[in-house]
Amino acid sequence: MFKETINTKENTRTVDLRSDTVTQPTPAMRKAMAEAEVGDDVFGEDPTVNRLQEMAAKITGKEAALFVASGTMANLACQLAHCGRGDEMILGDQSHIFHYEQGGSAAVGGIHPRQIPNQPDGKLAPEDIEAAIRPDNVHFPRSRLIVLENTHNRCHGMTLDAVYMATIGDLAHQYNLKLHVDGARIFNAATALGAEASELLKQADSVSFCLSKGLAAPIGSLVCGSAGFINHARRARKLLGGGMRQAGVVAAAGIVALDEMIPRLADDHANAQKLAHGLAAMKGLDVETDFVKTNIVYMKISSDQSSDYKSAVDFADELHCRGVKILPTGPYKLRAVTHYGISADDIDYALNVTEQVLRKF
Ligand SMILES: *Cc1c(COP(=O)(O)O)cnc(C)c1O
């Protein structure tokens, strides 16, 4: 009965909230890609790649930058540039590098990942970091690197502010370690905090950020750091098979992303607020609205409903039948992400559909 009543022609609409990676390139990006001036980037001769790298270095406040194929490759190239085999890297137990990058640190780099607990707001407690740093002892691996993630994907898309970032950078340097920032969504953090990305990254030895998420470019990430560091990262990129040739064709979209797409991230954050508060008001869902600061909203099927909706996958399937896509990330947990392809009206639609799906019970 329910399925029949909702299955009207309006149901052909799709609101895809699974990730900000589903964004389509803008018309300006398509045009820039078609017209890009290109060369062989392994020889350093692609003017469009070079321009994108200069822009990335400037915006992050670093000396140099390197264009790579993905965020995963960016993070791995940084780890390889900072650490040798058997070195230890301190990172959060909820970090993207630990969860979603196939253990490349160990598989490719021989790097020992030392996880410490992420606080609910995505931070690592300085005392936990300090306790994890190894003294010089023949039994121990050598501590080399601390990794922060900003915004923090699995911790509600939370932001780490400039004071905290500088504190951890100083701590790293006090012990002669390096700080890497997985800044896949660093511009979301900067927007939400009302800060410049370069302020957040002042004490960071390296940062990776994605063009292909909220900034809506089709492909690519940047690694930024000192000129010496970038030389190491460039070697690592080649080792990983990431030396690209006329890559200006895709870098051109990245230039448009940095030029035009950062200011509109505030719209995604406003849409996420609207979504989070709308969902939180519904019986059957738990949403920690206080943690929603950027474009990521996590929700949990309330335990009193869990006998009706057996799992997050069931719930997502019901929504999907009605044109709303969200991502199950745990037995009862789901994630929705706002982005360039989502309007305020799409949020209204998604809320309506969710309400209908919940009211089935
Ligand atoms: C998406 C993401 C990455 C990896 O980016 P890919 O381009 O998908 O490889 C790394 N870190 C964080 C926090 C991310 O959200």
Side-chain angles (χ1 to χ4, degrees):
M1 164 73 179
F2 176 70
K3 276 188 183 172
E4 279 150 35
T5 52
I6 189 137
N7 216 0
T8 61
K9 69 177 192 308
E10 208 198 356
N11 193 29
T12 54
R13 182 171 176 176
T14 299
V15 176
D16 194 343
L17 295 162
R18 289 171 302 166
S19 176
D20 45 8
T21 56
V22 303
T23 41
Q24 297 282 316
T26 67
M29 288 176 186
R30 299 270 193 189
K31 184 165 184 293
M33 292 171 79
E35 293 171 2
E37 207 188 317
V38 297
D40 187 335
D41 182 52
V42 176
F43 291 128
E45 290 173 5
D46 189 302
T48 307
V49 170
N50 290 341
R51 183 154 160 247
L52 173 63
Q53 289 174 167
E54 280 161 26
M55 287 172 75
K58 182 149 184 270
I59 202 168
T60 56
K62 301 297 168 200
E63 217 178 346
L66 183 72
F67 183 51
V68 299
S70 69
T72 300
M73 185 183 280
N75 282 333
L76 186 52
C78 289
Q79 293 168 63
L80 292 172
H82 285 304
C83 303
R85 301 187 70 80
D87 286 344
E88 194 167 70
M89 164 179 78
I90 297 167
L91 80 177
D93 63 353
Q94 297 304 313
S95 62
H96 193 282
I97 290 178
F98 183 70
H99 275 270
Y100 299 129
E101 299 181 14
Q102 253 194 54
S105 324
V108 180
I111 301 161
H112 197 230
R114 177 87 176 269
Q115 321 138 54
I116 60 176
N118 273 112
Q119 307 301 310
D121 63 1
K123 288 180 179 155
L124 302 176
E127 54 274 22
D128 289 346
I129 296 176
E130 207 161 2
I133 297 172
R134 309 277 194 167
D136 186 12
N137 180 306
V138 74
H139 295 90
F140 300 152
R142 286 203 183 93
S143 304
R144 285 280 187 224
L145 183 64
I146 298 171
V147 180
L148 294 176
E149 188 175 315
N150 196 7
T151 65
H152 202 294
N153 187 338
R154 281 176 63 90
C155 297
H156 312 273
M158 278 291 283
T159 57
L160 308 181
D161 63 42
V163 172
Y164 173 78
M165 301 280 285
T167 303
I168 304 306
D170 290 342
L171 177 63
H173 300 149
Q174 184 191 327
Y175 285 91
N176 223 358
L177 310 190
K178 303 291 187 192
L179 173 64
H180 171 66
V181 177
D182 177 354
R185 296 185 181 83
I186 193 71
F187 299 109
N188 292 87
T191 299
L193 293 164
E196 297 294 330
S198 57
E199 291 172 56
L200 302 178
L201 297 167
K202 224 173 205 144
Q203 303 296 325
D205 298 287
S206 58
V207 58
S208 57
F209 71 81
C210 290
L211 298 167
S212 57
K213 293 188 171 167
L215 300 185
I219 298 166
S221 283
L222 273 301
V223 168
C224 311
S226 70
F229 169 80
I230 291 299
N231 281 338
H232 285 294
R234 186 178 297 108
R235 282 190 63 82
R237 180 184 70 173
K238 191 79 174 102
L239 172 69
L240 298 172
M244 297 186 284
R245 302 298 178 174
Q246 284 70 34
V249 169
V250 279
I255 290 173
V256 176
L258 290 183
D259 264 342
E260 297 181 4
M261 301 302 281
I262 295 173
R264 62 155 307 287
L265 293 175
D267 300 343
D268 296 343
H269 299 177
N271 284 335
Q273 284 298 319
K274 182 174 170 154
L275 180 66
H277 286 93
L279 293 172
M282 291 177 195
K283 204 165 164 286
L285 286 180
D286 295 329
V287 182
E288 292 184 79
T289 52
D290 288 352
F291 282 110
V292 180
K293 303 285 186 212
T294 61
N295 66 332
I296 297 179
V297 179
Y298 279 95
M299 69 205 82
K300 236 178 138 174
I301 304 168
S302 313
S303 43
D304 57 0
Q305 294 276 327
S306 54
S307 58
D308 295 319
Y309 274 112
K310 301 276 180 300
S311 69
V313 172
D314 284 348
F315 185 59
D317 283 349
E318 290 288 334
L319 291 172
H320 190 176
C321 292
R322 293 158 182 82
V324 175
K325 296 189 185 181
I326 59 173
L327 195 69
T329 59
Y332 299 104
K333 210 172 146 189
L334 303 103
R335 188 188 78 168
V337 185
T338 57
H339 53 77
Y340 172 62
I342 299 292
S343 66
D345 191 58
D346 289 328
I347 299 296
D348 286 330
Y349 182 75
L351 286 170
N352 255 326
V353 167
T354 309
E355 177 83 58
Q356 286 170 3
V357 165
L358 287 167
R359 259 197 277 126
K360 182 175 165 188
F361 300 99

